[in-house]
Coordinates of all heavy atoms in Angstrom, one line a residue:
M1 N 90.6 100.4 82.6 CA 91.7 99.8 83.3 C 91.1 98.6 84.1 O 90.0 98.6 84.4 CB 92.3 100.9 84.3 CG 93.0 102.1 83.6 SD 94.5 101.7 82.8 CE 95.6 101.6 84.1
E2 N 92.0 97.8 84.5 CA 91.7 96.6 85.3 C 92.7 96.5 86.4 O 93.7 97.2 86.4 CB 91.6 95.3 84.5 CG 92.9 95.0 83.8 CD 92.7 93.8 82.9 OE1 91.8 93.7 82.1 OE2 93.5 92.8 83.0
A3 N 92.4 95.6 87.4 CA 93.3 95.4 88.5 C 93.8 93.9 88.5 O 93.0 93.0 88.2 CB 92.6 95.7 89.8
R4 N 95.0 93.7 88.9 CA 95.6 92.4 89.2 C 96.2 92.4 90.5 O 96.9 93.4 90.9 CB 96.6 92.1 88.1 CG 97.1 90.6 88.2 CD 98.0 90.3 87.0 NE 99.3 90.8 87.3 CZ 100.1 91.4 86.4 NH1 99.8 91.5 85.2 NH2 101.3 91.8 86.8
Y5 N 96.0 91.4 91.3 CA 96.5 91.3 92.7 C 97.7 90.4 92.8 O 97.7 89.3 92.3 CB 95.4 90.7 93.6 CG 94.1 91.5 93.5 CD1 93.1 91.2 92.6 CD2 93.9 92.6 94.4 CE1 92.0 91.9 92.6 CE2 92.7 93.3 94.3 CZ 91.8 92.9 93.4 OH 90.6 93.7 93.4
T6 N 98.8 90.8 93.5 CA 99.9 90.0 93.7 C 99.6 89.1 94.9 O 98.7 89.4 95.7 CB 101.2 90.8 94.0 OG1 101.0 91.6 95.2 CG2 101.6 91.7 92.8
D7 N 100.4 88.0 95.1 CA 100.1 87.2 96.3 C 100.4 88.0 97.6 O 99.6 87.8 98.5 CB 101.1 86.0 96.3 CG 100.7 85.0 95.2 OD1 99.5 85.0 94.7 OD2 101.6 84.2 94.8
R8 N 101.4 88.8 97.6 CA 101.6 89.6 98.8 C 100.4 90.5 99.1 O 100.0 90.7 100.3 CB 102.9 90.5 98.6 CG 103.2 91.4 99.7 CD 104.4 92.2 99.5 NE 104.7 93.0 100.7 CZ 105.9 93.4 101.0 NH1 106.9 93.1 100.2 NH2 106.0 94.2 102.0
F9 N 99.8 91.1 98.1 CA 98.6 92.0 98.3 C 97.5 91.1 98.9 O 96.9 91.6 99.8 CB 98.2 92.6 97.0 CG 97.0 93.5 97.3 CD1 97.2 94.9 97.6 CD2 95.7 93.1 97.2 CE1 96.1 95.7 97.8 CE2 94.6 93.9 97.5 CZ 94.8 95.2 97.8
R10 N 97.3 90.0 98.3 CA 96.2 89.1 98.8 C 96.4 88.8 100.3 O 95.4 88.8 101.1 CB 96.1 87.8 98.0 CG 95.6 88.0 96.6 CD 95.6 86.7 95.8 NE 95.6 86.9 94.4 CZ 94.4 87.1 93.7 NH1 93.3 87.0 94.3 NH2 94.5 87.2 92.4
R11 N 97.6 88.4 100.7 CA 97.9 88.1 102.1 C 97.6 89.3 103.0 O 97.0 89.2 104.0 CB 99.3 87.6 102.3 CG 99.5 86.2 101.8 CD 100.9 85.7 102.2 NE 102.0 86.5 101.8 CZ 102.6 86.4 100.6 NH1 102.2 85.5 99.7 NH2 103.6 87.2 100.3
S12 N 98.1 90.5 102.6 CA 97.9 91.7 103.4 C 96.5 92.1 103.5 O 96.0 92.5 104.5 CB 98.7 92.9 102.8 OG 100.1 92.6 102.8
Y13 N 95.8 91.9 102.4 CA 94.3 92.3 102.3 C 93.6 91.4 103.3 O 92.7 91.9 104.1 CB 93.8 92.1 100.9 CG 92.4 92.4 100.7 CD1 91.9 93.7 100.5 CD2 91.4 91.4 100.7 CE1 90.6 94.0 100.4 CE2 90.1 91.7 100.6 CZ 89.7 93.0 100.4 OH 88.3 93.3 100.2
R14 N 93.8 90.1 103.3 CA 93.1 89.2 104.2 C 93.4 89.5 105.7 O 92.6 89.3 106.5 CB 93.5 87.7 103.9 CG 92.9 87.2 102.7 CD 93.0 85.7 102.6 NE 94.4 85.2 102.5 CZ 95.1 85.0 101.4 NH1 94.6 85.2 100.3 NH2 96.4 84.6 101.5
A15 N 94.6 90.0 105.9 CA 95.0 90.4 107.3 C 94.5 91.7 107.8 O 94.5 92.0 109.0 CB 96.5 90.3 107.4
A16 N 94.0 92.5 106.8 CA 93.5 93.9 107.2 C 92.2 93.8 107.9 O 91.4 92.8 107.6 CB 93.4 94.7 105.9
P17 N 91.9 94.7 108.7 CA 90.5 94.7 109.4 C 89.4 94.9 108.3 O 89.6 95.5 107.3 CB 90.6 95.9 110.3 CG 92.0 96.3 110.5 CD 92.7 95.8 109.2
E18 N 88.3 94.3 108.7 CA 87.1 94.4 107.7 C 86.8 95.8 107.3 O 86.5 96.0 106.1 CB 85.9 93.7 108.4 CG 84.6 93.7 107.5 CD 84.8 92.9 106.3 OE1 85.6 91.9 106.2 OE2 84.1 93.2 105.3
P19 N 86.7 96.8 108.2 CA 86.4 98.2 107.7 C 87.4 98.7 106.6 O 87.1 99.4 105.7 CB 86.5 99.0 108.9 CG 86.2 98.1 110.1 CD 86.8 96.8 109.6
V20 N 88.7 98.3 106.8 CA 89.7 98.7 105.8 C 89.5 98.0 104.5 O 89.6 98.6 103.4 CB 91.1 98.4 106.4 CG1 92.2 98.6 105.3 CG2 91.4 99.2 107.6
R21 N 89.1 96.7 104.5 CA 88.8 96.0 103.3 C 87.7 96.6 102.5 O 87.7 96.8 101.3 CB 88.6 94.5 103.6 CG 89.8 93.8 104.1 CD 89.7 92.3 104.0 NE 88.6 91.8 104.8 CZ 88.6 91.3 106.0 NH1 89.7 91.1 106.6 NH2 87.5 90.8 106.5
K22 N 86.6 97.0 103.3 CA 85.4 97.6 102.7 C 85.8 98.9 102.0 O 85.4 99.2 100.9 CB 84.3 97.7 103.7 CG 83.6 96.4 104.0 CD 82.5 96.7 105.0 CE 81.8 95.4 105.3 NZ 80.6 95.6 106.2
T23 N 86.5 99.7 102.8 CA 86.9 101.0 102.2 C 87.8 100.9 101.0 O 87.7 101.6 100.0 CB 87.6 101.9 103.3 OG1 86.7 102.0 104.4 CG2 88.0 103.2 102.8
F24 N 88.7 99.9 101.1 CA 89.6 99.6 99.9 C 88.8 99.3 98.7 O 89.1 99.8 97.6 CB 90.6 98.5 100.2 CG 91.3 98.1 98.9 CD1 92.3 98.9 98.4 CD2 90.9 96.9 98.3 CE1 92.9 98.5 97.2 CE2 91.5 96.6 97.1 CZ 92.5 97.4 96.5
E25 N 87.8 98.5 98.8 CA 86.9 98.1 97.6 C 86.3 99.4 97.0 O 86.3 99.5 95.8 CB 85.9 97.1 98.0 CG 86.4 95.8 98.5 CD 87.2 95.1 97.4 OE1 86.9 95.2 96.2 OE2 88.2 94.4 97.8
R26 N 85.9 100.3 97.8 CA 85.4 101.6 97.2 C 86.5 102.4 96.5 O 86.3 102.9 95.5 CB 84.7 102.4 98.3 CG 83.4 101.8 98.8 CD 82.6 102.8 99.7 NE 83.3 103.3 100.9 CZ 83.3 102.7 102.0 NH1 82.7 101.5 102.2 NH2 84.0 103.2 103.1
R27 N 87.7 102.4 97.2 CA 88.8 103.2 96.6 C 89.3 102.5 95.3 O 89.7 103.2 94.4 CB 90.0 103.2 97.6 CG 89.7 104.0 98.8 CD 89.4 105.5 98.5 NE 89.3 106.2 99.8 CZ 88.2 106.7 100.3 NH1 87.0 106.4 99.6 NH2 88.2 107.4 101.4
L28 N 89.2 101.2 95.2 CA 89.6 100.5 94.0 C 88.7 100.9 92.9 O 89.2 101.2 91.7 CB 89.6 99.0 94.2 CG 90.0 98.2 93.0 CD1 91.4 98.5 92.5 CD2 89.9 96.7 93.3
G29 N 87.4 101.0 93.1 CA 86.5 101.5 92.1 C 86.8 102.9 91.6 O 86.8 103.2 90.4
L30 N 87.2 103.8 92.6 CA 87.7 105.1 92.2 C 88.9 105.0 91.3 O 89.0 105.7 90.3 CB 87.9 106.0 93.4 CG 86.7 106.3 94.3 CD1 87.1 107.0 95.5 CD2 85.6 107.0 93.5
L31 N 89.9 104.2 91.7 CA 91.1 104.1 91.0 C 90.9 103.6 89.6 O 91.4 104.1 88.6 CB 92.1 103.1 91.7 CG 93.4 102.8 91.0 CD1 94.3 104.1 91.0 CD2 94.1 101.7 91.7
L32 N 90.0 102.6 89.4 CA 89.8 102.1 88.1 C 89.1 103.1 87.2 O 89.2 103.1 86.0 CB 88.9 100.8 88.2 CG 89.6 99.6 88.9 CD1 88.6 98.5 89.1 CD2 90.8 99.2 88.1
G33 N 88.4 104.0 87.8 CA 87.7 105.1 87.0 C 88.6 106.3 86.8 O 88.5 106.9 85.7
D34 N 89.5 106.7 87.7 CA 90.3 107.9 87.6 C 91.4 107.9 88.6 O 91.2 108.2 89.8 CB 89.4 109.1 87.8 CG 90.1 110.4 87.7 OD1 91.3 110.4 87.2 OD2 89.5 111.5 88.0
L35 N 92.6 107.7 88.1 CA 93.8 107.7 89.0 C 93.9 109.0 89.8 O 94.4 109.0 90.9 CB 95.0 107.5 88.1 CG 96.4 107.6 88.8 CD1 96.6 106.6 89.9 CD2 97.5 107.5 87.8
R36 N 93.4 110.1 89.2 CA 93.6 111.4 89.8 C 92.4 111.8 90.8 O 92.3 112.9 91.2 CB 93.7 112.5 88.7 CG 94.9 112.2 87.8 CD 96.2 112.5 88.5 NE 97.3 112.3 87.6 CZ 98.5 111.9 88.0 NH1 98.8 111.8 89.3 NH2 99.5 111.7 87.2
H37 N 91.5 110.8 91.1 CA 90.4 111.2 92.0 C 91.0 111.7 93.3 O 91.9 111.1 93.9 CB 89.6 109.9 92.3 CG 88.3 110.3 92.9 ND1 88.2 110.6 94.2 CD2 87.0 110.4 92.4 CE1 86.9 110.8 94.5 NE2 86.2 110.7 93.4
P38 N 90.5 112.8 93.8 CA 91.0 113.5 94.9 C 91.1 112.7 96.2 O 92.0 112.8 97.0 CB 90.2 114.7 95.1 CG 89.3 114.9 93.9 CD 89.4 113.6 93.2
S39 N 90.1 111.8 96.4 CA 90.2 111.1 97.7 C 91.2 110.0 97.7 O 91.6 109.5 98.8 CB 88.8 110.5 98.0 OG 88.5 109.5 97.1
L40 N 91.8 109.6 96.6 CA 92.9 108.6 96.5 C 94.2 109.2 96.9 O 95.0 108.6 97.5 CB 93.0 108.1 95.1 CG 91.9 107.2 94.6 CD1 92.1 106.9 93.1 CD2 91.8 105.9 95.4
R41 N 94.4 110.5 96.6 CA 95.6 111.2 96.8 C 96.8 110.3 96.3 O 97.8 110.2 97.0 CB 95.8 111.5 98.3 CG 94.8 112.4 98.8 CD 95.0 112.9 100.2 NE 93.9 113.7 100.7 CZ 93.9 114.3 101.9 NH1 94.9 114.1 102.7 NH2 92.9 115.0 102.2
A42 N 96.6 109.8 95.1 CA 97.6 108.9 94.5 C 98.9 109.7 94.1 O 98.8 110.9 93.6 CB 97.1 108.2 93.3
K43 N 100.0 109.1 94.4 CA 101.3 109.8 94.0 C 102.4 108.7 93.8 O 102.2 107.6 94.3 CB 101.7 110.8 95.1 CG 102.0 110.1 96.5 CD 102.4 111.1 97.5 CE 102.6 110.4 98.8 NZ 103.0 111.3 99.9
K44 N 103.4 109.1 93.1 CA 104.5 108.3 92.9 C 105.2 108.1 94.3 O 105.5 109.0 95.0 CB 105.5 108.8 91.9 CG 105.2 108.6 90.5 CD 105.6 107.2 90.1 CE 105.4 106.9 88.7 NZ 106.5 107.2 87.8
Y45 N 105.4 106.8 94.6 CA 106.1 106.5 95.9 C 107.5 106.2 95.7 O 108.4 106.6 96.5 CB 105.3 105.3 96.5 CG 105.9 104.8 97.8 CD1 105.8 105.5 99.0 CD2 106.6 103.6 97.8 CE1 106.3 105.0 100.2 CE2 107.2 103.1 99.0 CZ 107.0 103.9 100.2 OH 107.6 103.4 101.3
D46 N 107.8 105.5 94.6 CA 109.2 105.1 94.3 C 109.4 105.3 92.8 O 109.0 104.4 92.0 CB 109.4 103.6 94.7 CG 110.9 103.1 94.5 OD1 111.6 103.7 93.8 OD2 111.2 102.1 95.2
E47 N 110.1 106.4 92.5 CA 110.3 106.7 91.1 C 111.1 105.6 90.4 O 110.8 105.2 89.2 CB 111.1 108.0 90.9 CG 110.2 109.2 91.2 CD 109.3 109.6 90.0 OE1 109.6 109.2 88.9 OE2 108.4 110.3 90.2
A48 N 112.1 105.1 91.0 CA 113.0 104.1 90.4 C 112.3 102.8 90.0 O 112.6 102.2 89.0 CB 114.2 103.8 91.3
R49 N 111.4 102.4 90.8 CA 110.7 101.1 90.6 C 109.3 101.4 90.0 O 108.5 100.5 89.8 CB 110.6 100.3 91.8 CG 111.9 99.8 92.3 CD 111.8 98.9 93.5 NE 110.8 99.4 94.4 CZ 110.2 98.6 95.4 NH1 110.6 97.4 95.6 NH2 109.3 99.1 96.2
D50 N 108.9 102.7 89.8 CA 107.6 103.1 89.3 C 106.5 102.6 90.1 O 105.5 102.2 89.6 CB 107.5 102.6 87.8 CG 106.5 103.4 87.0 OD1 106.3 104.6 87.4 OD2 105.9 102.9 86.1
V51 N 106.6 102.7 91.4 CA 105.6 102.3 92.4 C 104.8 103.5 92.8 O 105.3 104.5 93.2 CB 106.2 101.6 93.6 CG1 105.1 101.3 94.7 CG2 106.9 100.3 93.2
W52 N 103.5 103.3 92.8 CA 102.5 104.4 93.3 C 102.0 104.0 94.6 O 101.9 102.9 95.0 CB 101.4 104.5 92.3 CG 101.7 105.1 91.0 CD1 102.4 104.5 90.0 CD2 101.4 106.4 90.5 NE1 102.6 105.3 88.9 CE2 101.9 106.5 89.2 CE3 100.7 107.4 91.0 CZ2 101.7 107.6 88.4 CZ3 100.5 108.6 90.3 CH2 101.0 108.7 89.0
Q53 N 101.5 105.1 95.4 CA 100.9 104.9 96.6 C 99.5 105.7 96.6 O 99.4 106.7 96.0 CB 101.7 105.5 97.7 CG 101.0 105.5 99.1 CD 101.8 106.4 100.1 OE1 101.7 107.6 100.0 NE2 102.5 105.8 101.0
A54 N 98.5 105.1 97.2 CA 97.2 105.7 97.2 C 96.6 105.5 98.6 O 96.9 104.5 99.3 CB 96.3 105.3 96.2
R55 N 95.7 106.3 99.0 CA 95.1 106.3 100.3 C 93.9 105.4 100.4 O 93.0 105.5 99.5 CB 94.7 107.7 100.7 CG 94.0 107.9 102.0 CD 93.6 109.3 102.2 NE 94.5 109.8 103.3 CZ 94.2 110.9 103.9 NH1 93.2 111.6 103.6 NH2 95.0 111.3 104.9
V56 N 93.8 104.6 101.4 CA 92.6 103.8 101.7 C 91.8 104.7 102.7 O 90.6 105.0 102.4 CB 92.9 102.5 102.3 CG1 91.6 101.8 102.7 CG2 93.7 101.6 101.4
D57 N 92.4 105.1 103.7 CA 91.9 106.0 104.7 C 93.0 106.7 105.4 O 94.2 106.7 104.9 CB 90.9 105.3 105.7 CG 91.6 104.2 106.5 OD1 92.9 104.3 106.7 OD2 90.9 103.4 107.1
R58 N 92.8 107.4 106.5 CA 93.9 108.2 107.1 C 95.0 107.3 107.6 O 96.1 107.7 107.7 CB 93.3 108.9 108.3 CG 92.3 110.0 107.9 CD 91.9 110.8 109.1 NE 93.0 111.8 109.3 CZ 92.9 112.9 110.0 NH1 91.7 113.1 110.7 NH2 93.9 113.7 110.2
S59 N 94.7 106.0 107.9 CA 95.7 105.1 108.5 C 96.2 104.0 107.6 O 97.2 103.4 108.0 CB 95.1 104.4 109.7 OG 94.7 105.4 110.7
W60 N 95.7 103.8 106.4 CA 96.1 102.7 105.5 C 96.4 103.3 104.1 O 95.7 104.2 103.7 CB 95.0 101.7 105.5 CG 94.9 100.8 106.7 CD1 94.4 101.2 107.9 CD2 95.4 99.5 106.9 NE1 94.5 100.2 108.8 CE2 95.1 99.1 108.2 CE3 96.0 98.6 106.0 CZ2 95.5 97.9 108.7 CZ3 96.3 97.4 106.5 CH2 96.1 97.0 107.8
R61 N 97.4 102.6 103.5 CA 97.7 102.9 102.1 C 97.8 101.7 101.3 O 98.1 100.6 101.8 CB 99.1 103.6 102.1 CG 99.2 104.9 102.9 CD 98.3 106.0 102.3 NE 98.5 107.3 103.0 CZ 97.7 107.7 104.0 NH1 96.8 106.9 104.5 NH2 97.9 108.8 104.6
F62 N 97.6 101.8 100.0 CA 97.9 100.7 99.1 C 98.9 101.1 98.0 O 99.0 102.3 97.7 CB 96.6 100.0 98.5 CG 95.8 100.9 97.6 CD1 96.0 100.7 96.2 CD2 94.9 101.8 98.1 CE1 95.2 101.5 95.4 CE2 94.1 102.6 97.3 CZ 94.3 102.4 95.9
Y63 N 99.7 100.1 97.5 CA 100.8 100.4 96.6 C 100.5 99.6 95.3 O 100.0 98.4 95.4 CB 102.1 100.0 97.3 CG 102.3 100.7 98.5 CD1 101.8 100.3 99.8 CD2 103.0 101.9 98.5 CE1 102.0 101.0 100.9 CE2 103.3 102.7 99.7 CZ 102.7 102.2 100.9 OH 102.9 103.0 102.0
F64 N 100.9 100.2 94.2 CA 100.6 99.5 92.9 C 101.6 100.0 91.9 O 102.2 101.1 92.0 CB 99.2 99.8 92.5 CG 98.8 101.2 92.3 CD1 98.9 101.8 91.1 CD2 98.4 102.0 93.4 CE1 98.5 103.1 90.9 CE2 98.0 103.3 93.3 CZ 98.1 103.9 92.0
T65 N 101.7 99.3 90.8 CA 102.4 99.7 89.6 C 101.3 99.8 88.5 O 100.3 99.2 88.6 CB 103.5 98.8 89.2 OG1 103.1 97.5 89.0 CG2 104.6 98.8 90.3
I66 N 101.7 100.4 87.4 CA 100.8 100.5 86.2 C 101.5 99.8 85.1 O 102.7 100.2 84.7 CB 100.5 101.9 85.9 CG1 99.9 102.6 87.1 CG2 99.6 102.0 84.6 CD1 99.7 104.1 86.9
E67 N 100.9 98.8 84.5 CA 101.5 98.0 83.4 C 100.4 98.1 82.3 O 99.4 97.4 82.4 CB 101.8 96.6 83.8 CG 102.9 96.5 84.8 CD 103.2 95.1 85.2 OE1 102.7 94.1 84.6 OE2 104.0 94.9 86.2
E68 N 100.7 98.9 81.3 CA 99.7 99.1 80.2 C 98.4 99.5 80.7 O 98.2 100.6 81.3 CB 99.7 97.9 79.3 CG 101.0 97.6 78.6 CD 101.0 96.4 77.7 OE1 99.9 95.9 77.4 OE2 102.1 96.0 77.4
D69 N 97.4 98.6 80.6 CA 96.0 99.0 81.1 C 95.6 98.3 82.4 O 94.5 98.1 82.7 CB 95.0 98.7 80.0 CG 94.8 97.2 79.7 OD1 95.7 96.5 80.0 OD2 93.8 96.9 79.2
T70 N 96.7 97.9 83.2 CA 96.4 97.2 84.4 C 97.1 97.8 85.6 O 98.3 98.2 85.5 CB 96.9 95.7 84.2 OG1 96.3 95.1 83.1 CG2 96.7 94.9 85.5
Y71 N 96.4 97.9 86.7 CA 97.0 98.3 88.0 C 97.4 97.0 88.7 O 96.5 96.2 88.9 CB 96.0 99.1 88.8 CG 95.6 100.4 88.3 CD1 94.3 100.7 87.9 CD2 96.6 101.4 88.2 CE1 94.0 101.9 87.4 CE2 96.2 102.7 87.7 CZ 94.9 102.9 87.3 OH 94.6 104.1 86.8
V72 N 98.7 96.9 88.9 CA 99.2 95.7 89.6 C 99.3 96.1 91.1 O 100.1 96.8 91.5 CB 100.5 95.2 89.1 CG1 101.0 94.0 89.8 CG2 100.4 94.9 87.6
L73 N 98.4 95.5 91.9 CA 98.3 95.9 93.3 C 99.4 95.1 94.1 O 99.4 93.8 94.1 CB 96.9 95.6 93.9 CG 95.9 96.5 93.2 CD1 94.5 95.9 93.4 CD2 96.0 97.9 93.6
L74 N 100.3 95.8 94.7 CA 101.4 95.2 95.4 C 101.2 94.9 96.9 O 101.7 93.8 97.4 CB 102.7 96.1 95.2 CG 103.0 96.5 93.8 CD1 104.1 97.5 93.8 CD2 103.4 95.2 93.0
D75 N 100.6 95.8 97.6 CA 100.5 95.7 99.0 C 99.5 96.7 99.6 O 99.2 97.7 98.9 CB 101.9 95.9 99.7 CG 102.0 95.2 101.0 OD1 101.1 94.5 101.5 OD2 103.1 95.3 101.6
I76 N 99.0 96.4 100.7 CA 98.1 97.3 101.5 C 98.6 97.2 102.9 O 98.7 96.1 103.5 CB 96.6 96.9 101.3 CG1 95.7 97.9 102.1 CG2 96.3 95.5 101.7 CD1 94.2 97.7 101.8
T77 N 98.9 98.4 103.5 CA 99.6 98.4 104.8 C 99.1 99.6 105.6 O 98.7 100.6 105.1 CB 101.1 98.5 104.7 OG1 101.5 99.7 104.1 CG2 101.7 97.3 103.9
P78 N 99.3 99.5 107.0 CA 99.0 100.6 107.8 C 100.1 101.7 107.4 O 101.2 101.4 107.1 CB 99.2 100.2 109.2 CG 99.2 98.7 109.1 CD 99.6 98.3 107.8
H79 N 99.7 102.9 107.4 CA 100.5 104.0 107.1 C 101.4 104.4 108.3 O 101.0 104.6 109.4 CB 99.7 105.3 106.7 CG 100.5 106.4 106.2 ND1 101.4 106.3 105.1 CD2 100.6 107.7 106.7 CE1 101.9 107.5 104.9 NE2 101.5 108.3 105.9
P80 N 102.8 104.3 108.1 CA 103.7 104.6 109.2 C 103.5 106.1 109.5 O 103.6 107.0 108.6 CB 105.1 104.3 108.7 CG 104.9 104.3 107.2 CD 103.5 104.0 106.9
K81 N 103.4 106.5 110.8 CA 103.3 107.9 111.2 C 104.5 108.4 111.9 O 105.3 107.7 112.5 CB 102.1 108.0 112.1 CG 100.8 107.7 111.3 CD 99.6 107.9 112.1 CE 98.4 107.5 111.2 NZ 97.2 107.5 111.8

């Protein structure tokens, strides 16, 4: 699998704190290796639009779709509590 970044994701990523960006890079490696890796806690977020959500850490999530062999990264945001 490979990853493709949307413009929105790039903007959100640049605005995220440095520790979140570093943790995301590790999580992306896990995602590319195995969508079902336990630390990602990946799940369908929006069935109708086929959007997935995965965990960066306790406070941040990232969102993506799956198009053939590519994860299209949509956004990275603080998790609303």
Side-chain angles (χ1 to χ4, degrees):
M1 295 292 279
E2 60 184 50
R4 187 175 78 219
Y5 305 89
T6 62
D7 289 338
R8 179 179 181 155
F9 182 90
R10 290 176 198 275
R11 285 190 303 272
S12 297
Y13 180 84
R14 283 192 302 267
E18 180 65 24
V20 171
R21 292 194 305 258
K22 286 183 178 182
T23 302
F24 169 76
E25 293 301 326
R26 290 192 301 272
R27 297 294 186 257
L28 179 59
L30 296 174
L31 177 67
L32 295 174
D34 180 8
L35 172 65
R36 302 288 180 206
H37 193 282
S39 67
L40 292 171
R41 298 187 184 182
K43 63 181 179 181
K44 276 282 182 89
Y45 176 75
D46 183 340
E47 285 281 340
R49 296 183 321 162
D50 203 30
V51 174
W52 288 74
Q53 175 192 73
R55 175 182 251 199
V56 176
D57 60 21
R58 294 185 81 163
S59 302
W60 285 75
R61 302 293 185 268
F62 65 99
Y63 301 85
F64 60 95
T65 59
I66 303 170
E67 296 178 8
E68 297 179 13
D69 67 340
T70 304
Y71 293 114
V72 179
L73 298 162
L74 304 172
D75 206 359
I76 182 170
T77 63
H79 185 59
K81 294 182 181 178

